[in-house]
Amino acid sequence: MKTNTNYRNLQEQYLFKNISDRAEAYLAQHPDQRLLRMGVGDVTRPLPSAICEAMHRAVEELSHAETFRGYGPEEGYLWLRQTIIDNDYAPRNIDLTTDEVFISEGAGSDLGNLSELFAKDNHVAIIEPTYPAYADASIMAGREITFLPCHAENGFVPDLPKRRADIIYLCFPNNPTGTVLTRDELAKWVNYARENRSIIIYDAAYESFITQPNIPHSIYEIEGAKEVAIEVKSYSKSAGFTGVRCGYTVVPKQTGLQPMWLRRQCTKYNGTSYIAQQAALATYTPEGHAGIRANIDFYLTTAHLIKDRLQHMGYEVYGGENAPYIWCRAPHGWNSWTFFDHLLNDCQILCTPGVGFGASGEGFVRFSAFSNRQDCEEALKRIQTLA
Ligand SMILES: *Cc1c(COP(=O)(O)O)cnc(C)c1O
């Protein structure tokens, strides 16, 4: 047996370990202190009751012989795929057929698994700072990667790669910077992909946090994108499904990849849980929609609060308008970890050091709006004292 030696090329996942080590060390020294967690990348508000009721009903159905269900279709139930098209795409004049929508157990697995559709010698371009899944999957597959830096100087809009890229990972609204692309900026990427016969894997996990008009909600709002883009969506952040597990991936037939992805899913994935799919369906009912919207609006209000108050204190901040993340430059020319340590030791606040998401993140930290309002208010008061 020979192992996949590409795994040796993966970076240690030191970021979150390093954060928790420092937090534990601080608490060991100061056992009476409580840390305010302002860096969390996971939702914290409970599921709306309409969604829980849908899951209860699904469980009830599974408990009776007449309504029991076993395996569903590998691509997901037709009722969910049709509802996704009717609600997420048709109102934006995007034409998709149900066989182009694949229900998943969340975006994370598909973002990695899609990598299987492409030859090993493809060159990959990934925006940076970044969520680690795109790079890790490419490294496991042994592919070469070019990182596309996003920083204040280019307005967090990545430049087109100098070396031709076959596979391009974009994520907007972005984790960790909270920034978005305009229609024109995204069109530049679609045109690049069409000219270069590249494929764009578009992570739209934070789509429902978009508040500004004229920001594209789907890459398919751009003309020609159906030829060159796969869109990956998730109910994790929009509906609080990080524990429920459900998402979907759109693979348009015009990419030429739809039959391959169908085959891949039929062979290696036996479908998303019926209960999770009923929960996803419930996010589109009036009550379910109102419930998830209330949670998103709560997080967005928190994000706006953090952004406004930090700006008021003189901090240079980005994001927070169309995303639950605020990207904040460290003061006094500090690097990410120095600012992290000051926030921890002087304010008892935990954030996420920007450099953990890639080299361009150095000198920044990420604050998250996935916290309760009281902790957030308290954290902002303490930051005010950090002169
Ligand atoms: C949270 C998140 C996802 C969602 O992952 P799931 O597997 O659906 O929970 C995808 N992309 C980014 C950038 C995220 O931050």
Side-chain angles (χ1 to χ4, degrees):
M1 184 276 282
K2 294 193 183 102
T3 60
N4 179 349
T5 53
N6 296 323
Y7 277 62
R8 292 184 202 151
N9 301 326
L10 292 167
Q11 284 213 327
E12 286 286 335
Q13 282 199 326
Y14 64 88
L15 175 65
F16 291 100
K17 169 109 177 59
N18 204 342
I19 293 172
S20 62
D21 285 354
R22 288 183 196 218
E24 268 172 43
Y26 179 84
L27 288 173
Q29 298 268 317
H30 309 85
D32 50 336
Q33 293 280 8
R34 188 172 77 91
L35 296 178
L36 302 175
R37 293 173 194 273
M38 299 293 289
V40 184
D42 192 357
V43 289
T44 47
R45 295 179 69 75
L47 293 171
S49 56
I51 291 171
C52 293
E53 283 157 20
M55 286 195 279
H56 281 296
R57 279 196 303 274
V59 171
E60 193 57 30
E61 283 178 49
L62 298 183
S63 68
H64 300 288
E66 309 77 58
T67 48
F68 172 77
R69 286 159 193 263
Y71 287 124
E74 287 89 346
E75 329 81 280
Y77 284 101
L78 189 58
W79 37 260
L80 180 54
R81 288 182 284 137
Q82 187 64 56
T83 302
I84 287 166
I85 290 175
D86 294 346
N87 288 272
D88 295 350
Y89 293 102
R92 303 188 192 286
N93 294 319
I94 296 163
D95 262 337
L96 292 172
T97 54
T98 48
D99 51 355
E100 294 173 307
V101 178
F102 295 81
I103 310 302
S104 69
E105 61 183 5
S109 1
D110 278 9
L111 285 165
N113 294 335
L114 281 163
S115 164
E116 287 179 27
L117 302 187
F118 310 107
K120 178 171 180 268
D121 60 1
N122 277 303
H123 187 68
V124 184
I126 300 177
I127 49 165
E128 180 268 321
T130 177
Y131 181 71
Y134 327 128
D136 283 0
S138 304
I139 293 167
M140 288 171 183
R143 297 205 180 94
E144 270 187 77
I145 303 172
T146 297
F147 286 102
L148 309 167
C150 294
H151 39 66
E153 291 67 35
N154 61 12
F156 300 94
V157 180
D159 296 325
L160 293 170
K162 292 198 180 64
R163 175 172 165 196
R164 188 186 159 278
D166 302 288
I167 305 169
I168 300 160
Y169 286 90
L170 298 178
C171 171
F172 291 100
N174 185 258
N175 179 9
T177 66
T179 56
V180 288
L181 290 190
T182 63
R183 212 172 294 272
D184 286 349
E185 287 157 355
L186 187 56
K188 198 178 70 173
W189 282 92
V190 170
N191 293 337
Y192 174 91
R194 292 175 79 185
E195 281 159 22
N196 288 278
R197 305 173 58 80
S198 319
I199 187 88
I200 297 173
I201 298 177
Y202 194 70
D203 182 348
Y206 294 93
E207 176 270 321
S208 53
F209 289 83
I210 295 173
T211 57
Q212 281 174 313
N214 292 320
I215 299 298
H217 285 246
S218 163
I219 194 168
Y220 305 120
E221 289 179 42
I222 311 297
E223 204 186 312
K226 280 207 283 182
E227 294 163 28
V228 293
I230 292 173
E231 183 158 279
V232 181
K233 296 277 304 268
S234 170
Y235 297 98
S236 282
K237 312 301 164 38
S238 62
F241 278 28
T242 51
V244 174
R245 310 305 304 145
C246 193
Y248 65 85
T249 294
V250 179
V251 187
K253 292 202 195 86
Q254 287 174 60
T255 59
L257 297 166
Q258 189 272 354
M260 284 177 77
W261 185 244
L262 176 63
R263 185 59 198 264
R264 191 268 170 211
Q265 290 298 81
C266 289
T267 302
K268 296 197 182 179
Y269 185 61
N270 267 349
T272 307
S273 136
Y274 175 67
I275 301 161
Q277 292 190 68
Q278 282 291 354
L281 186 70
T283 66
Y284 298 97
T285 62
E287 304 75 27
H289 183 74
I292 66 169
R293 210 49 249 178
N295 280 347
I296 294 166
D297 290 343
F298 179 90
Y299 295 133
L300 279 171
T301 305
T302 310
H304 296 169
L305 179 80
I306 298 171
K307 181 175 194 175
D308 287 352
R309 296 274 289 277
L310 287 173
Q311 236 161 8
H312 225 79
M313 293 178 218
Y315 284 93
E316 184 183 333
V317 284
Y318 303 92
E321 296 291 334
N322 303 291
Y325 300 121
I326 293 92
W327 193 239
C328 178
R329 194 189 290 278
H332 318 302
W334 290 342
N335 68 26
S336 297
W337 281 108
T338 303
F339 192 26
F340 173 94
D341 284 335
H342 275 284
L343 288 169
L344 173 60
N345 295 307
D346 307 343
C347 307
Q348 296 75 48
I349 291 170
L350 280 177
C351 65
T352 313
V355 69
F357 298 101
S360 307
E362 181 58 285
F364 284 86
V365 302
R366 186 190 75 177
F367 290 112
S368 150
F370 294 135
S371 67
N372 73 53
R373 193 65 53 72
Q374 250 178 338
D375 280 4
C376 177
E377 294 273 9
E378 177 59 28
L380 288 164
K381 257 190 229 153
R382 293 183 192 176
I383 295 173
Q384 188 112 48
T385 66
L386 189 77

